[in-house]
Amino acid sequence: MTTLFASHALLPSGPARDILIEIDGGRFTSVTPDATPPGPDTTRLRGVAMPGFANAHSHAFHRALRGRTHAGGGTFWTWREAMYSLASRLDPDNYLALARAVYAEMALAGITTVGEFHYVHHAPGGRPYDDPNAMGHALQQAANDAGLRLTLLDTCYLEGGLDASGHLPLDELQLRFSDKTVEAWASRVGEIDARPGTVTGAAIHSVRAVTPGDIAQAAMASADRPLHVHLSEQPAENHATQAYYGRTPTALLEENGALTPRTTAVHATHLSERDIRVLGDARVTACFCPTTEQDLADGIGPGRALADAGARLSLGSDQNAVVDLIGEARALEAGERLASLQRGRFRPDELLAAATAHGSLGWTDAGAIAPGMRADLVCVRTDTVRTAGADPAQILLAATAADIDSVWVDGVPVVSGGAHRLGDVAGLLSDAIGELWADS
Ligand SMILES: [Zn+2]
């Protein structure tokens, strides 16, 4: 058994002081506020202890685009060309090295579960690897090495896009994303290894990349697992869907059985009032990725309105141009303030709930410091230049990922004193990214 003591913690009941925390078998066994400070044998946590963060939407390989896409302006769609070019350079070995480093960066940022929206399935040209899940298994290994849990959201991706005349064929670079049929996709997903610390979920890339009939089949095939889908990130998706199908992307998903409480709609940026009602009534989770939505000039989604309509909220680092769930939480609130001209659109505990939505990734027993829950902890320092003087109860409105001192996943310390157990994570990132761009 492990016994820890924190001067401050964010518990389900709210901010607390002098908390004695006991862990056994990877789970919290007791959490006692207002405890007498223990003797020297007990580990004292530094700063404010809070539940581990859930990164509900990641494309690990996009990390290699960070700081490389800003010359010459461009659009979401020119960014996508750069992303496809990067995807064409991936293989199971270099993807393992890159994802291991990216997931270690996430662990340093307090992320204890990552939801990986995974669509680079096959070799260039669409040829399956000897192990048809070689890329997914590389991601499982990477998460295991980096010490966090993984929900592999294996993505159905069958069409090259959508315009007013219908779906477009896959281009050369997109071929490796596709299993050709929804049945082949479901069958391959069924072959993914079950490994400790991993959950296999499902994803529909978008209404651009999957036709309505295939959406219905994919939703059915996902059974009781998490089902994620990109939704209305850019107005162009809405225009094309409206022009060809005469309805919104949300309405298409609704009609084809893809909106349930196990669904996460990623971005949900450009929604009609009806869309918001439909998503709320279906009790979906809406995953906001504010730093990506800023970077790609997507817009500001209706977070408060979705929550008021009954949707739950989660947060994702998406393209990993920034890996900082505290920053995402703050940007969720900041976007609301800018759009509404009102402060305090989300309370600090609501922002923490969005940053710890492990249930949307199939881990309903994580996300709270409470007996019986998985023993994930993030300890945020209160003595840095950014956090000194802040009220511990409002630390999410002051801190950044750089202020995180220690991270525990399932009762195991993965980050201690601001250092990851793998060592020099910046070096791992630099090596992995350098290799990918070596011949460019
Ligand atoms: Zn995405």
Side-chain angles (χ1 to χ4, degrees):
M1 189 175 73
T2 304
T3 305
L4 306 171
F5 183 81
S7 299
H8 297 276
L10 304 181
L11 303 182
S13 54
R17 298 194 66 138
D18 297 335
I19 307 95
L20 195 67
I21 299 168
E22 291 181 317
I23 298 171
D24 200 13
R27 291 180 186 264
F28 297 116
T29 52
S30 74
V31 179
T32 311
D34 302 317
T36 307
D41 293 345
T42 299
T43 302
R44 282 175 174 260
L45 299 171
R46 192 171 187 183
V48 184
M50 59 187 75
F53 300 142
N55 184 3
H57 190 65
S58 160
H59 307 283
F61 76 92
H62 294 189
R63 173 64 180 80
L65 293 170
R66 185 186 298 178
R68 288 173 167 269
T69 61
H70 302 278
T75 65
F76 173 92
W77 308 100
T78 58
W79 171 87
R80 197 179 69 153
E81 292 305 314
M83 183 270 282
Y84 284 172
S85 159
L86 169 63
S88 72
R89 298 161 183 263
L90 296 172
D91 62 40
D93 292 334
N94 65 26
Y95 204 8
L96 171 59
L98 175 61
R100 178 194 289 131
V102 174
Y103 292 160
E105 180 184 1
M106 289 184 190
L108 284 169
I111 291 162
T112 57
T113 307
V114 57
E116 180 69 28
F117 199 104
H118 167 55
Y119 56 84
V120 187
H121 302 304
H122 304 296
R127 182 178 49 81
Y129 290 106
D130 291 345
D131 168 8
N133 285 303
M135 296 295 260
H137 291 152
L139 292 165
Q140 288 181 329
Q141 184 65 45
N144 192 271
D145 292 349
L148 41 67
R149 293 184 300 268
L150 170 75
T151 297
L152 187 64
L153 299 159
D154 195 293
T155 304
C156 184
Y157 194 128
L158 300 171
E159 313 292 332
L162 177 68
D163 67 19
S165 62
H167 287 275
L168 311 174
L170 295 161
D171 70 25
E172 181 63 27
L173 294 174
Q174 292 171 317
L175 286 174
R176 59 187 312 196
F177 308 161
S178 173
D179 292 289
K180 297 191 175 67
T181 67
V182 68
E183 293 84 3
W185 164 76
S187 155
R188 182 182 51 73
V189 173
E191 300 293 311
I192 294 172
D193 290 349
R195 291 194 192 183
T198 69
V199 158
T200 300
I204 292 163
H205 182 274
S206 58
V207 300
R208 290 178 277 125
V210 186
T211 61
D214 288 344
I215 288 172
Q217 278 202 61
M220 198 105 75
S222 68
D224 56 355
R225 293 176 282 137
L227 176 66
H228 288 221
V229 55
H230 288 130
L231 177 66
S232 293
E233 177 177 9
Q234 287 271 327
E237 173 178 302
N238 286 11
H239 297 154
T241 309
Q242 199 64 246
Y244 188 65
Y245 289 113
R247 44 184 56 69
T248 66
T250 297
L252 264 191
L253 293 176
E254 177 194 18
E255 288 168 17
N256 289 284
L259 299 181
T260 75
R262 62 187 173 79
T263 302
T264 290
V266 181
H267 301 299
T269 308
H270 300 282
L271 301 180
S272 69
E273 290 195 7
R274 181 183 181 279
D275 291 341
I276 292 170
R277 272 202 313 280
V278 165
L279 293 166
D281 287 347
R283 298 290 183 265
V284 306
T285 299
C287 180
F288 281 65
C289 309
T291 67
T292 292
E293 290 148 8
Q294 291 164 9
D295 183 80
L296 296 178
D298 290 337
I300 301 169
R304 184 72 259 172
L306 280 163
D308 290 343
R312 291 167 292 187
L313 299 185
S314 64
L315 294 168
S317 63
D318 192 1
Q319 61 158 326
N320 298 311
V322 176
V323 173
D324 184 346
L325 264 273
I326 300 174
E328 301 292 349
R330 194 152 58 233
L332 173 65
E333 167 66 11
E336 281 285 330
R337 290 186 187 187
L338 290 169
S340 70
L341 310 183
Q342 293 172 8
R343 299 183 83 231
R345 300 281 285 173
F346 290 105
R347 299 186 312 271
D349 63 294
E350 290 177 304
L351 296 177
L352 181 64
T356 57
H358 296 261
S360 69
L361 296 171
W363 302 90
T364 52
D365 56 354
I369 305 176
M373 300 295 276
R374 289 175 176 272
D376 292 359
L377 288 168
V378 178
C379 300
V380 181
R381 288 174 56 174
T382 52
D383 59 351
T384 72
V385 289
R386 289 167 293 275
T387 59
D391 177 352
Q394 298 182 25
I395 198 75
L396 286 178
L397 282 304
T400 72
D403 301 310
I404 291 172
D405 182 71
S406 63
V407 180
W408 300 63
V409 183
D410 292 331
V412 175
V414 174
V415 173
S416 304
H420 192 277
R421 68 184 190 189
L422 287 177
D424 177 13
V425 176
L428 295 174
L429 285 163
S430 181
D431 290 349
I433 295 169
E435 188 194 323
L436 281 169
W437 295 118
D439 62 350
S440 67

